[in-house]
Amino acid sequence: MSPTTNETSAAAEAYISTLPPHHVQPLWTVMNAMVPPMPNPKAIPFLWNYKELRPLLLQSGEVVGAEEAERRVLMLVNPTCKAPQTTDTLYAGLQLILPNETAPAHRHTAFALRFIIEGSRGFTAVEGKKIYMSRGDVILTPSWTWHDHGHEGEGPMIWLDGLDLPMYQFIPGNFAQGYHDSRYPSTPVDESPSKFPWAPVQESLDAQKGDYAEVEYMHEDGGRLSRIIGGHAERINAGTTSPMRKETSSFVFHVYQGKGYTLVGEGEEQKKLQWEQSDTFAVPHWKRIQHVVEQGEDAYLFSFSDRPLMMNLGMWRKEEF
């Protein structure tokens, strides 16, 4: 006589209970969780309002010094994840430096980019090249390059940090190293492969015909910003929408100009993220994305994503609409 389903289940449970002392576990009980039938990010679509966070960031400047903090940053932590996750694979944070301050020189395994939100005469020095920052600039600090930040102007200098830090939480070789002085010796430069000013990016967007345009940040040799993170800019004309897209990449968007909203996901799970200038929002992997700008001025968005990582791993997929 064949065993009943209940007997088989009881036997399986009894068998599994004998395994822990041997430090083994049955794969078949967790197979769908480890290899799901479709991308299953832990992160959710979420928006951080700049008008709400700016006072908190400025308050941090009153209670902790730049050198004491090393980096005075408010991390943008996804509600369903933990630091340093803004999405499952991407980290974003708002960094503040005040006049005459120094954020000490260090280098680290992670790649970093900075999108400048406000202020002038702040600088990032990368491997001895002192790069002044203006609103809309993208500044890169490639992996294991010495860099420090300073501010020679007036008022606060604030930018959005973008790093691949979540990826390195699983790799013990991830670490940072401080320089023996607060500043790495540097000389001012007018141009640098680590700096992408906003003006030519917007010029390229505006030169494209139609209500929507997109530009990808690329090095002069045609390579993306890094092996893990790529950068993008978009223009959506007032009264129009962007094309719908869906890919196995996650994004962190920042609003350079304009007001609108972004529809993320589909069906009952669709989220509407209402945004305005200087807001930042996260879109997890494999979610439909469509930007909507109803009235007023044209909108310009900056974003960084893990598309290069997905491509390099052979995991990048997109859905056509």
Side-chain angles (χ1 to χ4, degrees):
M1 180 181 296
S2 300
T4 66
T5 301
N6 288 341
E7 290 172 335
T8 301
S9 177
E13 290 180 9
Y15 165 74
I16 291 171
S17 70
T18 68
L19 299 178
H22 303 280
H23 303 286
V24 295
Q25 295 181 29
L27 172 62
W28 60 87
T29 62
V30 294
M31 187 68 147
N32 285 342
M34 290 190 174
V35 189
M38 63 181 64
N40 186 28
K42 294 182 177 66
I44 62 171
F46 195 78
L47 181 139
W48 290 266
N49 180 271
Y50 187 66
K51 288 182 179 178
E52 175 186 330
L53 293 183
R54 187 178 185 274
L56 295 176
L57 188 60
L58 294 178
Q59 187 179 358
S60 75
E62 300 173 2
V63 299
V64 62
E67 295 214 16
E68 179 186 354
E70 188 164 352
R71 295 295 185 266
R72 191 195 288 115
V73 180
L74 292 182
M75 299 184 291
L76 306 184
V77 183
N78 197 281
T80 56
C81 300
K82 60 182 181 179
Q85 292 175 301
T86 305
T87 73
D88 292 69
T89 54
L90 300 172
Y91 159 93
L94 295 176
Q95 183 163 174
L96 167 71
I97 188 165
L98 297 172
N100 303 312
E101 287 187 333
T102 297
H106 67 191
R107 59 183 179 180
H108 42 66
T109 308
F111 165 88
L113 62 77
R114 301 136 205 322
F115 187 85
I116 313 307
I117 299 174
E118 65 172 275
S120 61
R121 296 297 295 174
F123 65 84
T124 293
V126 184
E127 287 288 321
K129 296 181 178 180
K130 188 176 182 181
I131 304 166
Y132 284 97
M133 305 183 289
S134 299
R135 179 171 176 258
D137 289 350
V138 172
I139 310 293
L140 309 183
T141 52
S143 174
W144 212 242
T145 55
W146 291 111
H147 58 281
D148 58 76
H149 309 298
H151 190 359
E152 298 173 355
E154 299 179 356
M157 194 84 202
I158 301 175
W159 61 83
L160 176 73
D161 282 326
L163 287 86
D164 46 17
L165 268 176
M167 299 298 302
Y168 290 100
Q169 302 311 297
F170 304 98
I171 304 174
N174 171 45
F175 71 108
Q177 184 180 67
Y179 190 62
H180 60 76
D181 198 356
S182 61
R183 291 271 174 88
Y184 187 86
S186 62
T187 303
V189 294
D190 293 327
E191 296 182 357
S192 168
S194 292
K195 179 178 180 176
F196 295 80
W198 175 257
V201 173
Q202 182 169 338
E203 183 178 347
S204 179
L205 289 170
D206 292 343
Q208 298 180 42
K209 296 180 180 179
D211 291 324
Y212 175 79
E214 183 179 9
V215 167
E216 183 169 6
Y217 287 76
M218 306 289 282
H219 291 291
E220 290 186 357
D221 63 3
R224 293 181 169 84
L225 298 186
S226 79
R227 290 165 295 198
I228 294 178
I229 288 181
H232 322 268
E234 300 170 61
R235 168 180 55 79
I236 310 100
N237 284 357
T240 69
T241 65
S242 70
M244 189 180 296
R245 69 181 190 264
K246 179 180 180 180
E247 61 181 90
T248 52
S249 305
S250 66
F251 292 83
V252 174
F253 288 92
H254 181 79
V255 184
Y256 177 80
Q257 174 184 303
K259 292 183 178 181
Y261 62 89
T262 297
L263 299 173
V264 184
E266 50 200 287
E268 294 181 356
E269 295 184 353
Q270 187 179 77
K271 296 289 182 67
K272 180 180 179 180
L273 303 178
Q274 194 87 37
W275 42 258
E276 61 184 358
Q277 182 174 310
S278 300
D279 288 349
T280 302
F281 59 98
V283 176
H285 301 81
W286 203 237
K287 300 292 183 184
R288 285 189 185 182
I289 306 172
Q290 188 169 39
H291 309 303
V292 181
V293 180
E294 294 177 309
Q295 299 296 333
E297 61 184 354
D298 297 344
Y300 293 87
L301 305 180
F302 167 78
S303 66
F304 62 94
S305 78
D306 57 8
R307 188 185 290 170
L309 170 69
M310 295 296 149
M311 288 181 165
N312 288 329
L313 293 176
M315 296 175 64
W316 188 74
R317 307 284 185 273
K318 68 176 181 178
E319 189 172 299
E320 300 287 353
F321 296 95

